[in-house]
Amino acid sequence: MNDREKLAQEVKAWRAKGGFPADAAAKVLGIPKRTFEGIEQGRGFPYPVLLRVAMESKTLPFQAMLDDSTRVEERPRKPRRRI
């Protein structure tokens, strides 16, 4: 097994453990969905060590990262003046 295949297996296992779709996992890692899918298909990634560190990070639960990244806060709107 080469390095690309090993990384693909690690990424698949990480995502399966959380039970999340590829687009959500890519968002948490801060990479495009197509790049994430390519990694899972064994096409490799130029920074495999950083990817592994990001996956191993236990600072926040996976769901909390998703909630924070998808939340859009609303700003109070200023009333418009009529002329």
Side-chain angles (χ1 to χ4, degrees), residues 1 7 13 22 30 47 54 67-68 71 77-78 80:
M1 176 185 325
L7 182 63
Y47 311 104
D67 290 345
D68 288 344
R71 186 179 304 142
R77 294 186 181 195
K78 295 179 182 177
R80 294 187 179 190

Side-chain angles (χ1 to χ4, degrees), residues 46-73:
Y47 311 104
V49 174
L50 291 176
L51 184 61
R52 286 182 178 107
V53 168
M55 290 188 306
E56 291 175 9
S57 174
K58 303 289 184 185
T59 56
L60 290 174
F62 198 95
Q63 185 63 46
M65 285 190 261
L66 283 175
D67 290 345
D68 288 344
S69 67
T70 57
R71 186 179 304 142
V72 177
E73 295 185 24

